[in-house]
Amino acid sequence: MAAPKRRVPSAEGRAALQAWSDGDTGRSYVATAVRFSLEELAARAPGNSVEVRVPPHGVAQCVEGPRHTRGTPPNVVECDGGTWLALVTGALDWHDAVSQAKVSASGSRADLSEYLPLA
């Protein structure tokens, strides 16, 4: 399976993640960091069985398994940008985020704890 095409240059994405980690929650940093990290997740866990949604910033499909083609996917993860970046950087644990309802995760493959944190 070919790696997904990158839209956010790595240096720009890493800089945005660092800025967010340093406390800059400006919309442009959050949006860039979210998009970059979704691309990174898709590269590290290629596949189409889980859809990760971080509205309004982006969406990615990842994790090997049955490909979904129509309607609502059976495996969906959704959260806001700040929560996603906290998961990506390790500031928030996956299981804590799910138990505190900061992340909506449905489906048998929607547990991303194996892939997070990314940084």
Side-chain angles (χ1 to χ4, degrees), residues 57-73:
H57 306 296
V59 63
Q61 291 190 348
C62 58
V63 182
E64 287 185 13
R67 181 178 180 90
H68 172 75
T69 56
R70 296 188 324 191
T72 302

Side-chain angles (χ1 to χ4, degrees), residues 24-99:
D24 193 330
T25 58
R27 182 169 168 75
S28 65
Y29 286 118
V30 171
T32 300
V34 167
R35 289 180 187 123
F36 169 74
S37 59
L38 287 171
E39 291 173 0
E40 187 67 19
L41 175 65
R44 292 183 187 193
N48 297 98
S49 70
V50 178
E51 186 167 287
V52 181
R53 301 172 180 168
V54 186
H57 306 296
V59 63
Q61 291 190 348
C62 58
V63 182
E64 287 185 13
R67 181 178 180 90
H68 172 75
T69 56
R70 296 188 324 191
T72 302
N75 301 288
V76 176
V77 172
E78 189 166 349
C79 63
D80 64 77
T83 299
W84 176 250
L85 293 177
L87 289 165
V88 165
T89 60
L92 179 61
D93 176 75
W94 171 262
H95 298 290
D96 291 341
V98 172
S99 69

Side-chain angles (χ1 to χ4, degrees), residues 9-29:
S10 291
E12 186 179 330
R14 291 185 203 294
L17 266 176
Q18 186 61 53
W20 182 86
S21 293
D22 292 343
D24 193 330
T25 58
R27 182 169 168 75
S28 65
Y29 286 118

